[in-house]
Amino acid sequence: MQKGNIGVTTENIFPVIKKFLYSDHEIFLREMVSNAVDATQKIKTLAERGDFKGELGDLTVRISLDTDKGTLTFSDHGIGMTEEEIDRYINQIAFSGVNDFLDKYKDNANAIIGHFGLGFYSSFMVSKKVEIVTKSYKEGSKAVKWSCDGSPEFEITDAERENRGTDIILYIDDDCKEFLDKYKIQELLNKYCKFMAVPVAFGKKTEWKDGKQVDTAEDNIINSVEPLWTKAPSTLKDEDYKSFYRTLYPMQDEPLFWIHLNVDYPFNLTGILYFPRISSNLELQRNKIQLYCNQVFVTDQVEGIVPEFLTLLHGVIDSPDIPLNVSRSYLQSDANVKKISTYITKKVADRLNSIFQENRKEYEEKWDALKIFINYGMLSKDDFYDRAKDFALFKDTEGKYFTYDEYKTLIKDNQTDKDGQLVYLYANDKEGQYCYIEAAKAKGYSVLLLDGQLDVPMISMLEQKFEKSRFTRVDSDTTDRLIIKEDNKDNELDSDSNDNLSQVFRSQMPKLEKTEFNIEVQSLGEESLPVLITQSEYMRRMKDISQYQAGMAFYAQMPDSYTIVLNSDHKLIKNILEDEKAKCAEQLKPINSEIKGLEARLAALHQTQNGKKPEEITQEEKDDVKNTEKSVAEQRDKKKQIIADYAKDNKIVHQLIDLALLQNGMLKGAALNSFLKRSVDLIG
């Protein structure tokens, strides 16, 4: 029997390890199974090289629970260890330099991860005692038992074991009893070990017999030793990839398609990345790519390896060349990470391009679900934009698809304005903006459908990428002014008629929260609608972009500003104007006369005072100007009130306003109810 002491007190080492590593304590299971798998693979390698000529036998790694004894045991038939190797690999390595370690990290608990290996020693995070019973594969070796109760002392004795290999028995600590729960262990094995390269068994398979579940003689193998990503793509069919996806993500819809990664220079990388079907929330779909190191699960936080826009993908990446910290719990910075990230970006772009080139019809069918990945990539990485611009698509409101170059060719003749700018018209609500779309199409324009969640920032980026181009939503102005090819004809109404008509509608516009209405009179032609609502492209887009871009929140707080466009050519507008003149002329005549007289007097006063220095103007003269301005304002208010009184009882005015609001989804509640009643009255 051999006893030893590492020279530090219990209070020094074990409480510190538990405190520092507690948040990762479940990793012990991965490390213990990994050690067993490593030992098993080593005996297989020795046999293949001819350095071990015995029978390999059953190489299954087994995990077993004994709830009565409170133990969790890991058993393998690998290379085993001699007493000398236990001393070298367990005592000297695990317990070396403890005092230096404690001194270095006593004031920084977080710094321990990455500077102190877990491995076998992780077992003490959950155990009050650990035993190793092992026998080396070497001829003439005898079995030995190593034991440590969590104190600085250990003990090595002779043991009974017929075959080579190792049993590690963990006596689970009282505050870690969850690791004696069968379902907890099953969950962790499924998380960390389901693709390890050696069969791993946890108990026996069960069957329903005599009204209850009973164990069978068959091992419950929890892993697939040859996961799909380790196989040659040429040997796999589509159903193999779909089946593997269902294994990884049982509750997900079938993926759009996948990319099989397989590179061995200048780094080793294998894996399968799937394009899932997603529609809206970016954040909810992240953390779906699983990172493995030689088939051992490491993490699903892969932002350092996979470009940010591809973290929306699902799947598996496996590489021994990805630099992990000693505990294999997170990534470290390294030149290889950047190379791998660049490779994955290129591989994804090449795969998308090949699908586009080889089967454009299938590609177009999947575009609506696919474009969020491509748009995100082009927005976040210039090098991906340079690759993707040849297979990124526009979709128009008729459901036709175009590459960027194809669409430019389509619209350049008819949608170039008088300043030489190419105008891309778009809608983001095909049904809600139907009238505007149809009006644009009637002029021979093509209208894109940009209704994706990243289309707003995409528009701004494309305006910078495309030469002499701008994007304009179809409801941002009247159809004639969306693409100005020549100076529009002036409104033919005189100033008084223009002002009175504007006031008729302005006085009856509803008061909506955080909403402003401006009135314009334009000559739009007899066939155009009598009243249109437009919204400035610039202000609306700034408000949209404020949702994505920090520092622009003030745009989100600004009221929505709309323009009510009155078509002076339409017969209903003409009728309203004639009716207003007939019913208000007598009342307005003296007021208009008074206003003209006051304005003339005010102009004369200003002209007189303009030739004087400020100190030369008397108080009486200042008061005269002030009083005249006040009188003008009072007369104008009287005029507005007369027009408002006329308009409030004009059902056609209210009907036209409500129709325009309804068209834009802005007529609700009591206002909608009034509109319906008025419509019935007008029909009757």
Side-chain angles (χ1 to χ4, degrees), residues 37-55:
V37 168
D38 289 344
T40 305
Q41 288 181 302
K42 285 176 181 176
I43 197 68
K44 289 172 65 177
T45 301
L46 290 172
E48 291 167 0
R49 293 196 317 220
D51 295 332
F52 173 69
K53 302 185 183 300
E55 293 292 328

Side-chain angles (χ1 to χ4, degrees), residues 279 368 371 375 427-428 449-457 548:
S279 56
D368 289 348
K371 75 172 185 176
N375 285 355
N428 59 12
L449 182 60
L450 301 180
D451 57 355
Q453 67 181 116
L454 293 180
D455 281 333
V456 170
Y548 301 91

